[in-house]
Structure formats: C-alpha cells, structure tokens
Amino acid sequence: MNVAAKYRQASLYVGDLHADVTEDLLFKKFSSVGPVLSIRICRDLITRRSLGYAYVNFLQLADAQKALDTMNFDVVKGKSIRLMWSQRDAYLRKSGIGNVFIKNLDKSIDNKTLHEHFSAFGKILSSKVMSDDDQGSRGYAFVHFQNQVAADRAIEEMNGTLLKDCRLFVGRFKNRRDREAELRNRANEFTNVYVKNFGDDMDDESLKEVFSQYGKTLSVKVMTDTSGKSKGFGFVSFDSHEAAKKAVEKMNGKDINGQLLFVGRAQKKAERQAELKQMFGQLKQERFRKCHGVKLYIKNLDDTIDDTKLRKAFSSFGSISRVKVMQEEGRSKGFGLICFSFPEEAAKAMAEMNGRILGSKPLNIALARRS
C-alpha cells in the first residue's frame, strides 16, 4: 500500500459541528489519541463560515480507529459530533448496498441512540437521523452498514419492533429510480378507487349501488363530518384491478345530479407527494431546456452547495436567469446547471471559476449542450 492510500484510509469525517469549532480545537481533541497529519474544516467560499463538517487525517490507521471507537458522539461546544470513515468511493455511497432506511422514529431518538440500537448487527459506516431547519428530528433515518448481510439482519430483527412506543419500519434503501418504478407498478395494479364531488345525499349504500355494477366491492365508504353529513368524497375498494380500472374509465367525469364526478386511483399521501415532487422536478428541467441564454454544467459540487450558494458564487459574472443543483433524497448529486443571459457572461464565469474551490472541492465547468 502506498503512503497516499494509507493516509486516505486513516481519514475520518467529522459531522454535526458547532459553527464556532476551530481547527485548533479539533487538533487538540484528536491528537490525544495519536499523531494527526491535518485537519480541515470545510467552509463557505465567500463567507468562510463553517459548513458544519471537517476531515481529520491521522498518521496511523489504528489511531483513526481508536478515535472512531472512543470519540463518536462526544459533545464539542454543546453539540454531539458524528464520526465516520471518510468515504471517497461514490459507488459505495450511492449503490444502496448495506444501506437501510428507518422511519416512524420517536422524535427523541438522536444519532447516538440510533447507532447504539443498530451497531449490534454489524459494522456501521455511517448513521444519520434526518433533521429539519430547527435541528429537530424528522422521524426517519439512514444507517449504512459495511455489508448487505448486516443490513439484512437489521431489517429482519428490527422491522416492526417498538422503540420508545413507536413501531419502526426498517427496510432496504431504495433510490429514486426504484421508487418511481414501484409507483408505476402500483398504478397498474390498483384496486382502491377515490371518488369526489358528489352531493350531500350520497351515503355508503347509494355509492355502493352506483359502483357495484363494475365488479364485486369489498368495502365502500362515504366520508362524513361530526354531524354525519357527507363531505362529498369517499372510497370504493374492489376485489380486482380490472373492476377498479373499469369503474375509473366509466365513471370519471360522469354527471350525477348535476355534478361531474372525479373518479381515480386512491393514493396514500406519501405517494401523492412523491408524484407531485417528480412532476415539479420535470417542470424545472423543462424550464432549463427552454433557457434562452447560455447554460453552464457545473460538476464536482460539494454536498453542502445548494441553489442559493451556487447562484451567489456566480452572480458577479452577470445576469443569471436560473440555477439548479440536482438532488436525490434531498441530497446533492454533485452537479448542477446555471443559465446566463449572455454568452460573454458565461465565458467569463467559465474562465474564472473553473478549478476554483467552492466549499471543499474544485469546480469542473463545461458548456451545457442545448437540447
């Protein structure tokens, strides 16, 4: 193993840092376990404020392992830090191998508690409870194990168990492509139908009479308010996809007592939100395709760079009509697009920003092809 490879293996990622943490403070902390080659806190290119994470490079791999074993979740400046091996293999991060998704977490579960509950199944490369802007838990998390065997054990033993009176869902991480394929398959196999825009006089029996002509119904329900009055919408569950599909085809848009019904596949809230998010993303991409200026393709973006920071970094070069950092699961995919109004502005931006460090990485900029 060459020296460079050895140093890479002795590198730790330090996350969830307080904004006031300095390199000197981290050096004092980590050098207590062994010689430290370098420490770099990643900072905003313009403001130089900490981005909340750093990299610590040890001279010896054993010292890095000791720090990981003994200092993970230590409190520094009032915040619990999160340590993991610096993962430079993009394929391992994005492949989903060993990656587990957990939801329905009690809001009191933090990174340390999550790690403690799942470390029994195998070596953890990273674990993270997702938080909102106020640093409160969003109720879901990701745990990345070193191998799929450990991940499968965690899923088998933890899925459906109670943790702080919350019944967990633990399953394999699915990337966006897999989730979209699942949604398409679900759309082709539905048996539950959503019906709305009918009158106040519609009850369960009346709704069943209307829809039972298309096939056997398992359940029919008109939603009502506290007084028992119809809210104007309901659900019909058929015993077969064919019957449900036929009901949608025949009844959607049909006039009943002067009102046009809406009849469609019943969807869970999360599924509707996923479809809307996908549609919104497609609209944004379409807007970029219609850019009347010059588009630049920005690669090798730091994970912390969002639309606002990317726009700010390039705004001095001219008029920017659109900026988009591509994302998946709320995380940057490492590239984005900027649309300048004039070719001269784009050329100047390319000349001065190509290779410049933004966040913690040197930018790679190219002229985007017109589509």
Side-chain angles (χ1 to χ4, degrees):
M1 182 187 296
N2 61 41
V3 174
K6 180 180 177 181
Y7 289 163
R8 281 199 297 271
Q9 288 195 6
S11 178
L12 294 181
Y13 167 92
V14 188
D16 299 343
L17 288 177
H18 188 284
D20 295 336
V21 171
T22 63
E23 280 87 351
D24 286 343
L25 180 59
L26 290 181
F27 183 84
K28 290 176 182 177
K29 179 174 181 61
F30 287 104
S31 60
S32 65
V33 299
V36 173
L37 285 173
S38 65
I39 291 179
R40 178 168 60 88
I41 293 177
C42 298
R43 301 181 182 277
D44 184 275
L45 179 65
I46 299 171
T47 65
R48 303 308 299 162
R49 292 176 181 170
S50 169
L51 296 174
Y53 65 96
Y55 294 95
V56 179
N57 295 308
F58 287 89
L59 180 63
Q60 300 293 335
L61 181 62
D63 294 331
Q65 182 67 63
K66 183 178 179 181
L68 184 62
D69 293 339
T70 62
M71 294 183 171
N72 205 5
F73 309 114
D74 280 3
V75 176
V76 178
K77 287 278 186 178
K79 288 190 69 175
S80 175
I81 62 173
R82 188 167 55 92
L83 304 181
M84 60 185 185
W85 292 109
S86 175
Q87 181 51 258
R88 300 174 188 273
D89 186 343
Y91 172 76
L92 186 60
R93 291 198 309 268
K94 298 177 181 180
S95 67
I97 297 173
N99 213 340
V100 172
F101 171 64
I102 303 120
K103 68 177 180 179
N104 202 33
L105 282 171
D106 184 273
K107 296 301 178 69
S108 66
I109 301 297
D110 57 14
N111 290 322
K112 183 178 182 180
T113 308
L114 181 76
H115 193 279
E116 288 172 350
H117 275 85
F118 282 86
S119 59
F121 303 107
K123 185 176 181 181
I124 294 176
L125 298 179
S126 67
S127 59
K128 176 69 174 175
V129 175
M130 305 309 291
S131 58
D132 55 27
D133 294 338
D134 297 322
Q135 300 306 306
S137 168
R138 291 182 181 270
Y140 69 93
F142 299 91
V143 175
H144 196 176
F145 289 95
Q146 188 175 39
N147 57 61
Q148 190 59 46
V149 173
D152 290 341
R153 283 185 58 209
I155 292 169
E156 182 179 354
E157 297 191 29
M158 292 298 289
N159 187 36
T161 60
L162 285 174
L163 181 60
K164 290 282 187 79
D165 296 325
C166 291
R167 195 164 298 280
L168 298 182
F169 169 85
V170 183
R172 285 195 178 195
F173 166 78
K174 297 178 182 177
N175 59 33
R176 185 174 64 182
R177 184 178 300 173
D178 291 339
R179 293 195 308 275
E180 289 175 355
E182 191 174 87
L183 286 177
R184 287 193 296 270
N185 292 335
R186 193 177 300 168
N188 293 329
E189 299 170 358
F190 71 94
T191 56
N192 294 325
V193 172
Y194 171 62
V195 187
K196 71 174 180 177
N197 202 33
F198 48 72
D200 297 343
D201 56 346
M202 185 75 76
D203 58 18
D204 294 352
E205 287 301 319
S206 302
L207 192 63
K208 182 175 181 179
E209 185 178 345
V210 172
F211 282 89
S212 60
Q213 59 183 307
Y214 302 107
K216 182 180 179 181
T217 58
L218 300 178
S219 65
V220 178
K221 181 63 178 176
V222 172
M223 307 308 292
T224 58
D225 58 22
T226 54
S227 66
K229 184 179 179 181
S230 167
K231 291 184 176 182
F233 70 94
F235 299 89
V236 180
S237 177
F238 290 92
D239 73 338
S240 69
H241 167 64
E242 290 73 20
K245 182 180 178 183
K246 188 176 181 181
V248 171
E249 291 172 349
K250 297 292 185 180
M251 294 299 295
N252 188 39
K254 189 169 184 177
D255 188 321
I256 292 187
N257 298 327
Q259 291 183 278
L260 297 180
L261 288 186
F262 169 84
V263 183
R265 177 173 64 92
Q267 296 174 284
K268 292 182 179 179
K269 182 179 178 181
E271 189 180 352
R272 292 198 306 273
Q273 290 176 336
E275 285 192 356
L276 288 172
K277 186 176 180 181
Q278 182 183 352
M279 290 171 59
F280 185 64
Q282 290 171 345
L283 285 173
K284 281 192 170 183
Q285 290 176 4
E286 183 63 27
R287 287 177 64 196
F288 261 108
R289 282 195 288 270
K290 294 179 179 178
C291 171
H292 298 297
V294 180
K295 287 186 290 186
L296 295 183
Y297 181 45
I298 319 294
K299 296 188 289 184
N300 202 37
L301 286 175
D302 186 287
D303 291 345
T304 61
I305 303 300
D306 56 16
D307 295 355
T308 302
K309 291 178 180 178
L310 190 60
R311 179 184 286 272
K312 188 174 182 180
F314 282 81
S315 60
S316 63
F317 299 105
S319 175
I320 298 174
S321 58
R322 298 185 185 97
V323 175
K324 179 61 181 175
V325 174
M326 302 306 171
Q327 294 187 334
E328 184 174 18
E329 288 294 318
R331 301 174 182 176
S332 170
K333 297 174 74 173
F335 67 92
L337 292 166
I338 297 179
C339 183
F340 281 95
S341 299
F342 301 99
E344 297 80 9
E345 298 170 341
K348 185 178 180 183
M350 281 185 64
E352 297 194 24
M353 293 296 288
N354 207 10
R356 183 179 294 187
I357 301 292
L358 182 61
S360 64
K361 296 180 179 180
L363 297 179
N364 187 334
I365 306 175
L367 188 65
R369 295 179 180 178
R370 288 188 175 274
S371 54

